[in-house]
Each structure stands twice: as C-alpha cells, then as structure tokens.
Amino acid sequence: MKRGLLVSSVLVASLALGAGLAQAEPHGHGPRPGDDRLDARFNHNHYYPARGYIVRDLPRERVIVERGHDRFFYSSGVWYAPRGPGFVVVGPPVGVFVPVLPAFYTTVWFGGMPYYYANDTYYLWRDSSQEYEVVDPPGAEQAASTQAPATDEVFVYPKNGQSPDLQARDQYECHKWASGETGFDPTQAGGGVPPDQTATKRAAYQRAMGACLEGRGYSVK
C-alpha cells in the first residue's frame, strides 16, 4: 500500500512538473493545436503562437521595447505585452525599433527596397538609428518580389547550438562588418556600388560574410 502511494505521488509530481515546463516552453518551432499557426505568406512557412495567446513566462532571450507608457517584449519575431500575471502575444506597434531581426525572416522587395518579414510584421533598416523599424505593409503582395537576388543568398547553420536570437545578432554584426570592409551592401539596390563593380564587390562581401560567420561557429553554404 505504501509503495502504491509513493508511486502515485511521484507520478503526480512528475505530471505537474511537466505541465509547468510545457507552459514555460517557447513557441514557434512546430505546430501545436490551439495556439501555434503557420505563417505561409511569401513562403515564410514558420510557426508562431497566435495573437491573443497568453503565456506565464517570457523566453529567456528577449528585447524590451518601450512605447510611451507601454512596454513590449520581443523574441524571435514574437511580441508580448504584460497581461495580468502573465503575458499576451500581440502585434507590435508601428514605429518601434529593434536591434536584430528574427532569425527566420524573409526578405521581401518592394520597388527595389528590401523589407524584412516575419509573423505578419514588416521591418525596415534605418541608417539613422542603426536599427530595424516596424513599419506598415509597404504595398500589395502582388507587387512584391519574394526573394533577394539568388547570388546574395547566404544559408547559415549553427554548429554550436546557438539560439535563434544569437544567430540573428551574429548575422547582423557580420553583415555590418562585411559591408564596411567591402563597400557592398546587399540590402541596397545593386549593392550600393557602380554597376561595373557589382559582381566583384558582391563576391568580396560573400567571402567576408562567410569568414566572419564561420569564425563565430556557423556553417555557411
């Protein structure tokens, strides 16, 4: 009888612990009926918790964004706002700035200008603040080019278990370094260089970008 009670107690405790961990586990890495949804716009094809979903705990790696008297928390493309004892998934207010893009963003070109898209949100790089601004949708989806030029695509894979936020930060820092070293910026039309220098400068940028990322523990294809 005592052994039966002991096993039951351990089982209940284990279930309670598992439920607590499940509630605190971050979302966005696969479908979960009832809370996660697939964002398939522009073939983005990534899962995010639905807006209005309430969580008890925030992801460990997050950015705090202030807007007037309001406070938001940003992590891997998901935005949270305080709600009672927990946090509710919300859409970000237009005009706020973040230092890094979501790790799984999709570049969308409108009129030659690159916008960065993830989770129903568009971001635009601002040189004046050296950050990304949340902006209104730039135009009709039919007017968008859903891919950056193929020669500018870089596929990066973490070799040391880096988190998505850390990967996004490393990619951004390596991009800024490679662009400064070579004078080529793939977020600008033609790389921001004369047409006769585009091919040479693009190749130099890709070499510099690859070397920087490999030095930080990533595999670059």
Side-chain angles (χ1 to χ4, degrees):
M1 182 65 178
K2 291 183 178 180
R3 178 178 177 82
L5 290 174
L6 177 60
V7 171
S8 299
S9 300
V10 171
L11 178 59
V12 170
S14 299
L15 290 173
L17 177 60
L21 292 174
Q23 187 174 4
E25 185 178 349
H27 298 270
H29 302 290
R32 288 189 176 187
D35 57 70
D36 279 12
R37 63 172 189 84
L38 175 65
D39 181 358
R41 184 179 296 170
F42 305 119
N43 294 317
H44 184 61
N45 296 334
H46 193 67
Y47 284 92
Y48 297 96
R51 292 177 182 177
Y53 185 79
I54 296 177
V55 299
R56 186 187 63 186
D57 301 312
L58 291 170
R60 181 174 301 176
E61 294 188 10
R62 59 186 182 266
V63 175
I64 299 175
V65 180
E66 305 279 356
R67 178 65 177 268
H69 297 293
D70 297 322
R71 170 173 288 191
F72 300 89
F73 303 88
Y74 162 78
S75 178
S76 297
V78 182
W79 290 77
Y80 305 87
R83 172 72 62 85
F87 304 88
V88 61
V89 176
V90 297
V94 170
V96 297
F97 290 82
V98 293
V100 296
L101 291 170
F104 301 101
Y105 68 85
T106 296
T107 305
V108 184
W109 296 76
F110 287 86
M113 178 72 70
Y115 290 77
Y116 307 100
Y117 173 85
N119 194 15
D120 290 333
T121 303
Y122 294 86
Y123 302 84
L124 188 61
W125 172 252
R126 299 298 190 188
D127 283 325
S128 58
S129 62
Q130 296 290 292
E131 290 185 301
Y132 296 91
E133 182 182 6
V134 174
V135 297
D136 286 316
E141 291 183 24
Q142 295 81 356
S145 173
T146 57
Q147 297 183 27
T151 51
D152 289 336
E153 292 287 350
V154 177
F155 298 93
V156 182
Y157 306 92
K159 295 193 298 185
N160 301 323
Q162 296 94 326
S163 69
D165 283 349
L166 177 58
Q167 179 177 335
R169 188 180 310 120
D170 285 338
Q171 286 184 239
Y172 164 71
E173 292 176 355
C174 284
H175 156 70
K176 294 301 291 183
W177 177 81
S179 181
E181 288 291 309
T182 63
F184 183 86
D185 186 348
T187 66
Q188 298 183 21
V193 298
D196 61 332
Q197 298 181 18
T198 300
T200 301
K201 291 288 189 179
R202 176 183 286 121
Y205 168 86
Q206 290 179 334
R207 288 194 299 270
M209 185 75 172
C212 178
L213 288 168
E214 287 174 356
R216 296 189 181 205
Y218 297 88
S219 173
V220 181
K221 305 292 185 182

